[in-house]
Amino acid sequence: AIYLGLFIATVCLAVGLACCCRGRKPDQDDDNDDDDINLTSADSLAASNRSTSRGLSSARAERAVKKVNGIMSAIAEVQPFIKIMFSYYQIVGGMSWGFDLNFPPIYSSFLSFTSSIVNLDFLTMMPLGCITTSDFHRTLVVMTLGPFTLGFLNLLLYKAFKTCGSKQRANETFGWFLFMTFLILPSVSTKIFSTFACRDFDGDYGSYLKVDYSIDCNSEEHKRYVNYAGVCCAVFPIGVPLMYFFLLRRVKTLLDPGQKLLCFEKGEEEGLKAALEERERLEQENEDLASLSFLYSAYEPKCWYFEIVETMRKLILTGGLIFLGPGTSEQIAISMIICLGAIRIFSGFKPFVKQSHDNFSEVSQWQVFFVMLSAMMIKTKLDAGETSSEQGLYDVILVGIQFMSPLLLVGILLKKGETAARGLARSGVGSAQGR
């Protein structure tokens, strides 16, 4: 009922926007009688004052625009760091479920909290059992239909803004749609894949869903939800990466204006700089590219497709774990091999425009590997003879690993802020000397 109400309200809003925009007429000129106006000396003085006022206003506006551009450039600089850190927590947040093991208690609580935030999985933090009866099937429906409905409404608003001729708002709306898919895809895909994860019990006790033992996997009701989950697979874990691919592939020539050739002619640094400048020029000529900037802006032109690679890495290391021999040491070993392969790919291609982004990405992927290594230690019971104090130390070390990326990010931001402050101080001294 809530989603139906949101749907109807947004449809009405979109239709109203479209109707209002179609009803708008271009402004008419009111200057037809300019030739009949003769300015007196007083009028000339007033016009001069107005001109001076406009000059001051334009100067203030120019300074405001510079400040806004500075803020936007800072946001664009930080965005890749945030995306990398979110991807890390999205991956490690599902490892306990994917590997079917219990991490130490403090680490498990910390990871459960952070993964609920980065995956927008607030249902696990809400006491729904006190309000209504809830099981895995109902949660599956909410977590799939909810994002699908919101995404559809977002695209509807995008179409309405585009009909109005407001390309900037349309591009911003589509950018928010892509951002939403980035946030919800790992958690929704994991929930979908959980529908196929059943555990068989010995002694003819049957087969039950691993995430909810109250659900019999052989029941007719669950088989219907298995079919529903199959349809959701086509929409989310398969459909979203394919959407990314088709959106980027059709503008490939605009995203990569020949970086390899430019680097061959001018060298790596100058070639990259020339390719980025050409891409910016093409973005100004093709305003629709702005709607896709979330997918490619952090990457070099020749690596325009790397958001798809990153998405597939997250899907394999989250929901895809259940297809790698769930609950076995071999599953963790295969996951570690996949993780090392991803590290090698990213360190070899160095896809990000900024070297700091490449370094931050590599650190975060090594964090994933070390968490997997600790999972292997737990699975093989190498720490079975440890005392409770040693177990507590192991718990603290695992939690400490989780703060590596945030602390590194804080250090990078402080360094960049210090550099920017020095630049402003130098420009201020230079302008004072010029006066």
Side-chain angles (χ1 to χ4, degrees):
I2 295 174
Y3 289 122
L4 180 60
L6 286 172
F7 176 78
I8 295 173
T10 311
V11 168
C12 294
L13 177 61
V15 172
L17 284 171
C19 293
C20 290
C21 291
R22 287 180 178 176
R24 289 170 60 182
K25 295 182 180 180
D27 295 336
Q28 296 178 352
D29 288 336
D30 295 328
D31 302 328
N32 296 332
D33 300 328
D34 284 351
D35 296 336
D36 299 334
I37 298 176
N38 296 316
L39 292 175
T40 63
S41 59
D43 294 334
S44 299
L45 180 60
S48 176
N49 292 334
R50 285 196 298 270
S51 177
T52 304
S53 176
R54 290 194 194 98
L56 293 173
S57 300
S58 63
R60 294 193 190 98
E62 186 177 352
R63 288 195 296 269
V65 168
K66 287 182 179 180
K67 289 181 180 179
V68 172
N69 290 337
I71 294 173
M72 295 303 294
S73 62
I75 293 174
E77 180 77 15
V78 174
Q79 185 190 80
F81 292 115
I82 302 300
K83 287 178 66 177
I84 292 168
M85 196 161 60
F86 266 56
S87 296
Y88 166 75
Y89 286 116
Q90 285 173 336
I91 291 172
V92 298
M95 281 189 183
S96 179
W97 169 85
F99 292 149
D100 193 18
L101 56 81
N102 294 320
F103 282 105
I106 300 176
Y107 173 72
S108 297
S109 301
F110 172 81
L111 213 56
S112 176
F113 175 75
T114 55
S115 63
S116 297
I117 294 175
V118 299
N119 290 315
L120 299 183
D121 187 12
F122 298 112
L123 290 176
T124 59
M125 304 174 65
M126 298 172 61
L128 296 179
C130 300
I131 303 173
T132 181
T133 57
S134 177
D135 59 9
F136 172 80
H137 289 157
R138 291 179 174 84
T139 306
L140 173 67
V141 172
V142 172
M143 287 194 65
T144 51
L145 285 184
F148 180 82
T149 304
L150 292 176
F152 177 77
L153 298 178
N154 203 308
L155 291 177
L156 195 64
L157 282 176
Y158 164 75
K159 198 67 177 177
F161 284 131
K162 206 166 185 181
T163 303
C164 293
S166 179
K167 289 186 177 181
Q168 182 179 356
R169 290 187 177 181
N171 292 336
E172 291 173 355
T173 302
F174 195 79
W176 280 108
F177 167 74
L178 294 176
F179 177 66
M180 185 190 71
T181 61
F182 166 82
L183 287 181
I184 59 93
L185 183 61
S187 60
V188 173
S189 299
T190 300
K191 184 67 68 173
I192 294 169
F193 292 149
S194 300
T195 313
F196 307 103
C198 295
R199 174 170 292 171
D200 298 323
F201 291 90
D202 297 332
D204 295 330
Y205 283 104
S207 177
Y208 293 89
L209 199 64
K210 191 168 76 169
V211 294
D212 188 347
Y213 286 137
S214 66
I215 296 176
D216 184 356
C217 290
N218 296 320
S219 64
E220 292 298 324
E221 180 184 14
H222 182 68
K223 290 179 181 178
R224 289 195 296 270
Y225 280 99
V226 167
N227 295 331
Y228 173 76
V231 175
C232 291
C233 281
V235 176
F236 291 100
I238 297 175
V240 171
L242 280 178
M243 178 188 69
Y244 289 173
F245 174 76
F246 286 118
L247 286 174
L248 294 173
R249 182 67 178 81
R250 65 187 178 90
V251 292
K252 173 188 173 183
T253 55
L254 301 178
L255 299 179
D256 181 14
Q259 180 185 349
K260 291 183 179 179
L261 179 60
L262 290 171
C263 289
F264 178 77
E265 294 175 349
K266 303 182 178 183
E268 287 294 328
E269 292 186 5
E270 291 298 323
L272 174 59
K273 183 179 178 181
L276 290 173
E277 290 175 353
E278 180 64 14
R279 188 170 74 178
E280 290 177 2
R281 185 186 68 80
L282 293 172
E283 286 174 346
Q284 294 175 357
E285 294 179 357
N286 302 270
E287 295 182 2
D288 291 340
L289 277 182
S291 63
L292 304 178
S293 62
F294 181 79
L295 298 179
Y296 71 82
S297 61
Y299 301 104
E300 294 184 5
K302 66 180 181 181
C303 298
W304 56 270
Y305 54 87
F306 246 82
E307 187 65 29
I308 304 169
V309 177
E310 171 65 8
T311 301
M312 296 306 300
R313 181 182 76 94
K314 289 194 298 183
L315 287 176
I316 292 173
L317 294 179
T318 51
L321 292 178
I322 68 169
F323 302 108
L324 303 176
T328 63
S329 299
E330 290 79 5
Q331 178 196 30
I332 304 177
I334 295 172
S335 301
M336 293 172 69
I337 294 172
I338 294 173
C339 184
L340 287 174
I343 293 173
R344 182 66 189 90
I345 291 173
F346 275 78
S347 61
F349 278 88
K350 296 187 181 300
F352 292 95
V353 174
K354 302 285 187 180
Q355 181 66 38
S356 58
H357 298 158
D358 286 316
N359 296 338
F360 192 76
S361 174
E362 186 172 355
V363 168
S364 119
Q365 293 190 54
W366 277 111
Q367 283 182 264
V368 175
F369 178 79
F370 286 129
V371 173
M372 289 180 175
L373 182 61
S374 66
M376 176 65 81
M377 294 173 63
I378 295 174
K379 181 65 71 174
T380 55
K381 299 182 180 180
L382 292 178
D383 56 342
E386 294 180 353
T387 62
S388 58
S389 61
E390 290 172 333
Q391 288 281 359
L393 178 62
Y394 182 70
D395 199 352
V396 171
I397 291 174
L398 266 176
V399 173
I401 292 175
Q402 308 314 305
F403 287 97
M404 288 175 60
S405 292
L407 290 176
L408 181 60
L409 177 58
V410 170
I412 292 172
L413 294 179
L414 288 176
K415 185 177 179 180
K416 289 183 179 295
E418 183 180 356
T419 304
R422 288 176 181 174
L424 288 174
R426 288 173 184 171
S427 63
V429 171
S431 61
Q433 291 177 350
R435 293 191 192 95

